[in-house]
Amino acid sequence: MAEATLLISSRNYSSWSLRGWLLTRMSGLDFEVSVTDPDDPAAKAELLLRSSSILVPCLIHDGISVWDTLAIAEYLNEICPKAGMLPEDWAARARCRSISGEMHSGFSALRSSLPMNLRGHRPGFRVWSSAQADIDRIATIWRECLDTWHGPYLFGARRSIADAMFAPVVTRFRTYDVTLDAACRAYGDRILAWPDLQEWTKAALDEPAEIEELDIEF
């Protein structure tokens, strides 16, 4: 029997579920996945950004329920310290937490106009100016981290919480054909090659449920 259960919603559409799953995989904790009913109102509210309190994903471990993706990340870092989910250097840890928090609470224009859809591909997609500002800020974050900690991931040779937090953004950039500079494009390719992300994507492609609101052509 697995040590923990991770409650998720749609693999294809839920960026928060993907983040929680990548983080739990990164920790090394033995866990099983439980998927919410796609018609559940709370699950749809999370996917359609209509809920101020997002309760999915939720990690259940030793009788403790932990929701909110950053809370899950910090909990996993505490119980699995050898996983190295945060950088060893204190300055890098501070930056990692800062950009993870920025990803967690910001970029609302990007979220609403470029929703995650792993099955989708929109070549030539017209990005709204507000979303482009978010894209530019994300590219700046990536370049600063790669320049400072020399890659191949945001904080050096090992993936961190920040890489998991930005992984769904990488998939959005692929879905909506977002133009990136060479450094950011190479970083995105490394994230897309992450075996755990590839496993999740394969499962998402086989997922039967579709949410019409998130498959609309803008």
Side-chain angles (χ1 to χ4, degrees), residues 99 102 107 131-144 166:
I99 66 171
E102 186 174 353
F107 308 114
Q132 186 61 53
D134 284 351
I135 291 167
D136 293 343
R137 172 57 187 155
I138 289 167
T140 297
I141 290 171
W142 290 359
R143 285 193 300 269
E144 288 177 348
F166 281 95

Side-chain angles (χ1 to χ4, degrees), residues 13 15 19 49 103 110-112 114-118 167-178:
Y13 301 108
S15 60
R19 291 180 177 104
L49 307 176
M103 183 69 256
L110 176 73
R111 297 183 201 282
S112 60
L114 281 71
M116 190 172 103
N117 186 340
L118 295 176
V169 174
V170 174
T171 74
R172 283 176 159 103
F173 289 172
R174 176 179 61 179
T175 296
Y176 298 98
D177 201 25
V178 172

Side-chain angles (χ1 to χ4, degrees), residues 67-170:
W67 62 95
D68 184 281
T69 312
L70 277 185
I72 291 171
E74 291 290 352
Y75 179 80
L76 291 168
N77 182 63
E78 287 184 5
I79 66 170
C80 304
K82 293 182 180 179
M85 298 177 67
L86 287 170
E88 292 183 4
D89 176 72
W90 66 271
R93 284 200 304 276
R95 178 68 67 87
C96 183
R97 285 188 165 108
S98 294
I99 66 171
S100 296
E102 186 174 353
M103 183 69 256
H104 183 269
S105 61
F107 308 114
S108 59
L110 176 73
R111 297 183 201 282
S112 60
S113 61
L114 281 71
M116 190 172 103
N117 186 340
L118 295 176
R119 290 197 296 263
H121 185 220
R122 309 272 170 79
F125 183 82
R126 183 177 178 182
V127 176
W128 299 342
S129 58
S130 55
Q132 186 61 53
D134 284 351
I135 291 167
D136 293 343
R137 172 57 187 155
I138 289 167
T140 297
I141 290 171
W142 290 359
R143 285 193 300 269
E144 288 177 348
C145 287
L146 294 169
D147 288 346
T148 303
W149 286 282
H150 311 297
Y153 300 103
L154 293 178
F155 293 95
R158 298 184 62 172
R159 288 181 289 261
S160 69
I161 287 171
D163 296 295
M165 292 297 292
F166 281 95
V169 174
V170 174

Side-chain angles (χ1 to χ4, degrees), residues 40-53:
D40 180 271
K44 277 210 168 184
E46 178 251 330
L47 292 170
L48 298 173
L49 307 176
R50 293 175 183 164
S51 174
S52 60
S53 180

